[in-house]
Amino acid sequence: MEQCRQYTLGHKIVIEIEIKDYVSTDQDKFWDWKPEEPTNIFLNIDLYIGPKHSEGAEIFQCVVATPKGLSNFLSHARITSGRHYFLIERWNWDELKAFFENLISTCQSEDWAMTSLKLSRHFKWEYEDHSFQQDEDEPDDY
């Protein structure tokens, strides 16, 4: 695996991360999508996030919804936890993308374990409920 790019913040070395891809099972090419009702959105989005200058990425999921879209969802689901949801006034991919990029920049940390933990406060991480054991001699690839 390629070496991760790191920088120094104060006395800490921080791994730079980036969003490598976006996928939605609800809407193909949603970044080009022009919905008929931009104030009625309920969209599941997977963000593939990993270290800059590395091919590796892990999946972090969320729901993006407008109040009307959430209301429509709740008319069927009745109850939802609200965790990993992002509420928007209306669909605007450029604004949402900039928001996500800014948000993940605040989650950068000195190693991947801490970075993924910070990301999982906002997104559902594909490994969120897994427990891993790493050999002491095995380096942290991220």
Side-chain angles (χ1 to χ4, degrees):
M1 179 174 272
E2 297 175 36
Q3 183 69 18
C4 302
R5 186 164 184 179
Q6 299 179 330
Y7 65 93
T8 304
L9 180 62
H11 296 291
K12 289 184 179 179
I13 295 176
V14 177
I15 297 174
E16 288 185 271
I17 60 174
E18 66 183 350
I19 302 168
K20 297 176 181 289
D21 200 7
Y22 299 89
V23 174
S24 176
T25 56
D26 297 332
Q27 180 67 45
D28 287 336
K29 299 181 182 177
F30 63 88
W31 46 88
D32 290 331
W33 179 39
K34 304 290 186 230
E36 288 182 28
E37 274 190 86
T39 58
N40 185 10
I41 304 297
F42 191 92
L43 188 67
N44 290 283
I45 298 179
D46 296 346
L47 293 83
Y48 290 72
I49 302 173
K52 280 188 179 178
H53 310 293
S54 172
E55 292 182 21
E58 292 179 2
I59 302 169
F60 294 84
Q61 301 170 317
C62 67
V63 171
V64 173
T66 59
K68 185 175 182 180
L70 183 59
S71 178
N72 289 339
F73 171 77
L74 289 173
S75 70
H76 302 288
R78 310 276 299 167
I79 298 173
T80 190
S81 73
R83 189 163 180 232
H84 310 122
Y85 281 56
F86 292 89
L87 299 178
I88 58 174
E89 179 185 19
R90 63 185 311 108
W91 179 253
N92 182 320
W93 172 242
D94 292 332
E95 284 181 6
L96 186 60
K97 182 179 178 186
F99 177 84
F100 282 148
E101 289 171 353
N102 183 61
L103 181 62
I104 70 148
S105 74
T106 68
C107 297
Q108 298 178 135
S109 194
E110 59 273 4
D111 60 34
W112 183 252
M114 183 57 71
T115 299
S116 58
L117 180 65
K118 288 180 177 183
L119 287 166
S120 69
R121 293 176 184 156
H122 307 286
F123 305 98
K124 183 179 186 308
W125 180 34
E126 67 178 314
Y127 299 114
E128 191 166 299
D129 295 323
H130 290 51
S131 65
F132 299 100
Q133 285 200 307
Q134 183 172 339
D135 293 337
E136 289 180 23
D137 298 337
E138 187 179 314
D140 185 0
D141 285 341
Y142 287 136

